[in-house]
Amino acid sequence: MQRPARPRQRRDQAEQHLRDITIADCRLDLSSWRFTTFANVAFEGCNLTRADFQHADLRGARFTDCDLTGAQFSQASMDGTRFARCDLTGIGGVTSMTGAILAHQDLIALSYALAGALGVHIEDPDDE
């Protein structure tokens, strides 16, 4: 007798849940958090360079003093996600950041990513 085939779920689409934890002073560059749900999760002083948060539910996440250079946030849910003193240079998926809360000092790096996502070209008058 042949067993019925079970549907296979791709590893990058497996849902993960993190709840009530603080992740501090960790090197997590190039890590994948796709499809992860964060509930009361804090990242503090972490290297999250080029981390992948695509399709993640980050509404319960807080990032403080983290390096998020080149991180990817496409299709993430970010209403209420907090960023304080983070490097947001070159992040992807900035249009998914609707409702996120940023410290004022994080806005400069993010402004370049937002401009790029909107097709706005930034010109340096000294280069003319």
Side-chain angles (χ1 to χ4, degrees), residues 39-118:
N40 195 27
V41 175
F43 289 93
E44 298 176 356
C46 294
N47 177 352
L48 290 157
T49 302
R50 297 182 60 202
D52 186 351
F53 292 97
Q54 291 184 71
H55 299 276
D57 183 346
L58 291 160
R59 292 177 291 184
R62 185 179 75 240
F63 298 87
T64 306
D65 297 316
C66 292
D67 184 352
L68 289 154
T69 304
Q72 181 56 252
F73 292 98
S74 294
Q75 306 298 315
S77 298
M78 300 182 70
D79 189 27
T81 304
R82 293 185 169 273
F83 296 89
R85 299 179 308 276
C86 294
D87 188 346
L88 301 172
T89 305
I91 65 169
V94 292
T95 56
S96 295
M97 293 188 77
T98 302
I101 301 163
L102 281 86
H104 70 278
Q105 62 267 40
D106 297 334
L107 185 57
I108 298 298
L110 184 61
S111 66
Y112 289 98
L114 282 168
L118 295 172

